[in-house]
Amino acid sequence: MRKLRRPEIALNSNHHPVSKKSPHTKRPDDSAPAYNARLAPINARLGQDEQIAFYRDMVRIRRFEERCLRAYQQGKIGGFLHLYIGQESLAVGCCSVMSKQDHIITAYRDHGHALGVGMSMNELMAENYGKYTGCSKGKGSSMHYFDPSRHFWGGHGIVGGQIPLGIGIAFALKYKGVKGACMAFMGDGAVNQGAVHESYNLAALWDLPVVFVIENNGYSMGTSQARSSAGPSLAQRAEGYGMSWDISENGHDVLEVRDKVSQALKRAHEEHKPTVLEIRTYRSRGHSIADPDTTYREKHEIEEYKRTKDPIMVYQNTLVAEGVLNDELIAKIDESARAEAETSAQFADQSPFPTVEDIKKDVYWETDNPADRKSVGTLFFD
Amino acid sequence: MKSSARELTYAEAIRDAFAVALERDPRVLLLGLGVPDPKGFFGTTLGLQKQFGADRVMDMPCAENGMTGVMLGAALNGLRPVINHQRLDFALLAMDPMCTQAAKWHYMFGGAMKMPVVFRMIIGRGWGQGPQHSQCLHSWFAHIPGLKVVMPTTPHDAKGLLLAAIEDDNPVVFIEHRWLHHLKGEVPAGHYTVPIGPARRARAGRDVTIVAFSYMVLEALEAAEKLAEDGIDAEVIDVRSLRPLDQSLLLASLRKTGRLVVADTGHSTAGMAAEILAIAGESAFGSLRAAPRRVCFPDCPTPTSPSLSAEYYPRAGHIVAAVRATLQRPPNDDDLLVPAGAELDKPNPAFTGPF
């Protein structure tokens, strides 16, 4: 059998291929100071409250998901549950730089983004439990969180399918002459979808205010990037469309994420230009709860990440070193996040399920809003 | 209003509907490959870009999948887009955004959001279009809860249903037949809608109910005239809307005649005609005086050769033959005779394209 020609890539670990020639960074000269996200304009004047807030938001996502996992293991949650553990710095970093005019959309690993835009644990946990008090009345589940009032457009189940929608949100902003941008999140698996490339072309062709955020955790389900994606880097594909692109190598660093995404948002706001931003990260858990997890990656790879790059740990160490956090405050934040997650589980437990009558509600706008009904006849055939 | 009605072709009626919608509502925009072309999408978009601007009447790249998703996002953010496909076949590239996203949005997010978007598609027939440019897959869309599907037959209904579709808060699949574009009829000026849902009794009759879709309504009416020569009085129902479906008119007609022939523009297997037969069997079994019949495409792709088209496409004669069978009349070989020189591959002798 003929051997498949493999792209020329070197692996810095098992999951993230990195080109031999650093593709994106143009080092001007050796005398230039090394990149330091803390000195970036967006981070330079952070108050202690803000720093603590970033930390707390990451801890809240972590504790919420751990409580979700427990509920899943108790049989309270069924179906899909895609945990964000290990990637919290991305959602928190990106949401922290959103302006009131900005929008976001993502795929099914959406817990971090939902909490990041300010949705409550109660409505999210209840949604996981399939309860009527959930954000989608129990009809969406973990994959379909959304809150248009906070400009969060879901929560989508088809890999890459959400990206064109995000571009459409931005298209409408431009059409209406409204300021703002849309951050369209995807994983490293989605970059190979045709819909994503079609979106790249359209966003560049029409100068739409978009930030394509690739949350590159190295695996599309169990398929590593090396086995799925050609080319030196995922972000570099933007060049084919004449788009700006950038890579955040240290996605576990919430401040670096803030800096990189705020630059891209600035480009969208001020120049109406799209950007592809690849953020390197890692998920400490499987693709979903049902994922055996270590059949496609080495256990030491997971342990190594948790030990050296866990975003919460890294930021905690930074803030302790800077004297912003201390043991007492850390414990207090942790306790409060645990209690909030526990309360949400109780809320979900005690909430009612949708009734049988709800099965056929919400299929057509007009069946739930009879005043708006514009058609007649049989909509349901059974 | 009768006074403001004038005779337009079906294609002109579609264009008229667009002009009215664009004029009335700044949120409406048209988009599709070739929408601003000189030939104006078979005449249905002629001059609209000049009148309403390139940011509202837009061309697009060959990117049906991505583009449809983009328009869904635009619809969520307050616009009312119409996505135009010169063939239904091309829209299949966008099945994910149409069926898995647009049709599910309202439900999946607990009924909070509207999805006002129109997917407009054109069905080809004959003229050498073959397997990839003449599929009639309306039953696919009618199968999906969350979508509405309309197939108007007359210029009047084309304009009224298109405006209704644009004003609807749900995703609507709007399907035109290319052979209807030259059909002329009275079309009122200005704004009016034909509500989505009600079927139209195109011809009243006592002996048999012919239920027809889109272009097949014309063939059914021709069949009814032929049948009248033999003293058979056929009722013809123009379905107009597949979902929602006007079951009450269909069943009322069937209870009167006791006989049913369904003439579809698509394949029979798992098709919309099968759905109508199932409804008849489930809801009017006691009224049926004979086994119902379907007149549909055969189960093979569309041939390109004109010599095969005569065999492939059902026409009035096939409907006549099916009606005779429901009346236990003997078959008549003349029903399927093709007059010498007749070109079955074109809508009319004057037709020179384009397709």
Side-chain angles (χ1 to χ4, degrees):
Chain A
M1 220 162 95
R2 265 174 55 196
K3 268 178 79 176
L4 282 174
R5 194 176 64 82
R6 295 184 63 85
E8 280 191 31
I9 45 175
L11 302 184
N12 67 343
S13 76
N14 281 345
H15 53 287
H16 285 144
V18 169
S19 63
K20 283 171 182 166
K21 279 174 274 177
S22 181
H24 66 293
T25 42
K26 286 169 242 117
R27 286 196 187 282
D29 58 72
D30 289 343
S31 61
Y35 170 67
N36 185 345
R38 269 139 212 83
L39 303 177
I42 191 87
N43 296 323
R45 280 184 293 278
L46 283 176
Q48 290 202 355
D49 288 353
E50 287 170 288
Q51 291 170 289
I52 292 170
F54 304 152
Y55 176 76
R56 184 172 45 234
D57 285 348
M58 291 197 286
V59 173
R60 285 177 66 241
I61 296 169
R62 180 73 56 91
R63 299 296 169 247
F64 173 75
E65 291 203 305
E66 287 169 349
R67 189 63 189 83
C68 291
L69 178 59
R70 197 140 61 85
Y72 196 94
Q73 287 160 343
Q74 291 168 336
K76 303 266 190 188
I77 300 176
F80 296 104
L81 187 68
H82 305 93
L83 299 180
Y84 200 58
I85 290 176
Q87 303 183 208
E88 293 90 342
S89 45
L90 278 69
V92 170
C94 291
C95 292
S96 73
V97 296
M98 271 174 79
S99 75
K100 280 202 168 68
Q101 292 86 24
D102 294 330
H103 298 252
I104 72 168
I105 189 166
T106 187
Y108 43 79
R109 202 176 304 283
D110 57 355
H111 303 169
H113 308 79
L115 289 169
V117 297
M119 292 181 75
S120 77
M121 284 192 197
N122 281 7
E123 60 183 323
L124 303 183
M125 190 66 88
E127 189 57 41
N128 289 352
Y129 277 54
K131 296 297 181 80
Y132 190 71
T133 51
C135 58
S136 300
K137 295 188 197 161
K139 287 178 169 169
S141 86
S142 153
M143 295 201 293
H144 303 305
Y145 294 167
F146 94 127
D147 185 348
S149 72
R150 297 177 197 276
H151 292 185
F152 175 42
W153 299 92
H156 291 266
I158 305 297
V159 170
Q162 77 281 7
I163 297 301
L165 268 66
I167 311 319
I169 302 283
F171 175 91
L173 292 174
K174 188 172 179 182
Y175 185 95
K176 294 190 282 192
V178 180
K179 199 170 151 54
C182 186
M183 287 192 272
F185 288 80
M186 66 188 116
D188 46 293
V191 298
N192 296 319
Q193 286 282 13
V196 170
H197 284 269
E198 293 179 22
S199 300
Y200 281 179
N201 181 50
L202 292 161
L205 184 70
W206 292 340
D207 287 334
L208 297 180
V210 176
V211 182
F212 295 93
V213 182
I214 304 169
E215 298 185 279
N216 184 354
N217 65 23
Y219 294 94
S220 61
M221 297 206 290
T223 305
S224 69
Q225 191 191 323
R227 282 190 282 133
S228 62
S229 299
S233 82
L234 304 183
Q236 197 175 356
R237 295 180 181 185
E239 281 178 11
Y241 301 95
M243 264 190 294
S244 301
W245 59 284
D246 198 359
I247 296 180
S248 173
E249 297 275 6
N250 302 296
H252 58 276
D253 178 356
V254 67
L255 298 183
E256 180 173 316
V257 172
R258 279 170 52 80
D259 177 31
K260 296 283 186 179
V261 78
S262 64
Q263 289 179 39
L265 273 175
K266 190 166 178 241
R267 186 174 295 118
H269 290 156
E270 293 176 6
E271 300 168 44
H272 265 268
K273 294 278 189 193
T275 304
V276 176
L277 173 62
E278 175 183 349
I279 306 179
R280 301 268 167 88
T281 180
Y282 194 74
R283 62 171 151 73
S284 305
R285 293 281 178 167
H287 164 70
S288 74
I289 296 305
D291 178 358
D293 198 12
T294 49
T295 53
Y296 55 85
R297 55 182 183 175
E298 300 293 336
K299 203 167 177 189
H300 70 78
E301 182 184 299
I302 305 170
E303 293 306 321
E304 176 74 4
Y305 182 78
K306 286 190 192 169
R307 198 172 55 76
T308 60
K309 291 185 176 173
D310 181 87
I312 294 177
M313 182 200 72
V314 167
Y315 198 49
Q316 188 189 98
N317 289 344
T318 305
L319 293 185
V320 167
E322 290 175 4
V324 177
L325 278 182
N326 55 43
D327 286 352
E328 195 188 341
L329 199 47
I330 290 168
K332 204 174 140 195
I333 289 168
D334 198 52
E335 205 175 301
S336 158
R338 277 177 206 278
E340 190 185 357
E342 189 53 40
T343 303
S344 76
Q346 283 171 17
F347 172 80
D349 237 345
Q350 289 158 10
S351 288
F353 278 110
T355 62
V356 175
E357 291 75 46
D358 291 318
I359 287 181
K360 283 193 180 167
K361 284 186 183 162
D362 309 320
V363 180
Y364 292 92
W365 177 265
E366 65 198 38
T367 49
D368 316 312
N369 303 277
D372 288 351
R373 175 136 199 181
K374 296 196 186 88
S375 70
V376 294
T378 307
L379 276 166
F380 304 101
F381 287 80
D382 54 342
Chain B
M1 268 193 298
K2 195 91 181 167
S3 60
S4 65
R6 66 271 199 250
E7 194 161 82
L8 295 183
T9 65
Y10 192 107
E12 288 164 346
I14 295 281
R15 191 211 166 277
D16 202 26
F18 280 146
V20 170
L22 287 160
E23 183 67 44
R24 278 169 64 92
D25 188 346
R27 300 170 300 174
V28 173
L29 70 154
L30 309 189
L31 171 130
L33 197 61
V35 160
D37 274 2
K39 284 180 178 167
F41 221 90
F42 312 126
T44 61
T45 59
L46 274 177
L48 292 174
Q49 192 182 60
K50 198 174 170 199
Q51 194 176 345
F52 296 99
D55 54 347
R56 296 188 65 200
V57 180
M58 304 175 65
D59 212 341
M60 62 169 246
C62 280
E64 284 81 359
N65 179 8
M67 204 57 250
T68 303
V70 170
M71 287 300 113
L72 302 189
L76 290 173
N77 205 358
L79 306 187
R80 301 187 85 90
V82 181
I83 301 158
N84 298 270
H85 299 283
Q86 298 201 18
R87 280 299 174 283
L88 183 148
D89 313 62
F90 310 157
L92 304 188
L93 288 159
M95 285 307 269
D96 174 59
M98 289 191 290
C99 298
T100 311
Q101 296 185 45
K104 308 292 189 280
W105 245 90
H106 184 59
Y107 187 84
M108 196 162 74
F109 295 112
M113 298 299 297
K114 297 175 181 180
M115 181 55 90
V117 58
V118 179
F119 308 118
R120 177 177 169 236
M121 306 165 196
I122 295 169
I123 303 169
R125 169 169 169 150
W127 215 61
Q129 297 186 82
Q132 296 184 332
H133 284 68
S134 55
Q135 296 183 86
C136 300
L137 302 173
H138 44 286
S139 64
W140 287 23
F141 300 106
H143 188 69
I144 307 286
L147 296 180
K148 293 182 178 179
V149 185
V150 296
M151 294 177 86
T153 306
T154 67
H156 173 274
D157 289 349
K159 178 175 171 183
L161 276 168
L162 183 51
L163 281 165
I166 291 169
E167 290 165 22
D168 204 283
D169 293 321
N170 303 279
V172 181
V173 178
F174 186 94
I175 301 178
E176 299 156 38
H177 198 289
R178 181 73 181 101
W179 282 25
L180 292 173
H181 277 155
H182 298 79
L183 188 69
K184 283 187 177 166
E186 280 204 349
V187 178
H191 177 265
Y192 71 95
T193 57
V194 171
I196 295 175
R200 178 178 70 97
R201 185 184 283 111
R203 184 187 195 278
R206 293 183 317 268
D207 298 329
V208 59
T209 300
I210 305 173
V211 173
F213 297 86
S214 186
Y215 169 74
M216 287 308 281
V217 173
L218 303 191
E219 297 284 349
L221 288 168
E222 192 184 324
E225 295 309 311
K226 282 186 187 165
L227 289 163
E229 292 167 14
D230 285 354
I232 299 166
D233 189 17
E235 179 145 304
V236 177
I237 305 231
D238 174 1
V239 181
R240 298 202 287 193
S241 169
L242 282 64
R243 191 178 188 129
L245 184 73
D246 189 350
Q247 289 203 25
S248 57
L249 184 65
L250 302 185
L251 292 172
S253 176
L254 190 52
R255 290 194 180 106
K256 180 174 67 177
T257 64
R259 293 184 176 85
L260 174 65
V261 170
V262 185
D264 198 357
T265 51
H267 296 291
S268 58
T269 307
M272 203 56 206
E275 184 63 39
I276 304 284
L277 260 58
I279 289 167
E282 286 178 345
S283 305
F285 187 72
S287 304
L288 288 172
R289 290 195 268 166
R293 295 273 175 156
R294 281 177 283 176
V295 177
C296 302
F297 287 10
D299 259 346
C300 61
T302 306
T304 39
S305 166
S307 71
L308 296 178
S309 294
E311 291 301 318
Y312 186 80
Y313 287 110
R315 51 187 192 275
H318 295 86
I319 300 171
V320 169
V323 167
R324 285 195 211 286
T326 66
L327 288 156
Q328 282 91 39
R329 303 277 179 92
N332 183 346
D333 288 346
D334 290 348
D335 289 342
L336 296 177
L337 268 185
V338 179
E343 289 187 271
L344 296 173
D345 216 24
K346 298 200 308 196
N348 59 62
F351 186 81
T352 56
F355 258 105

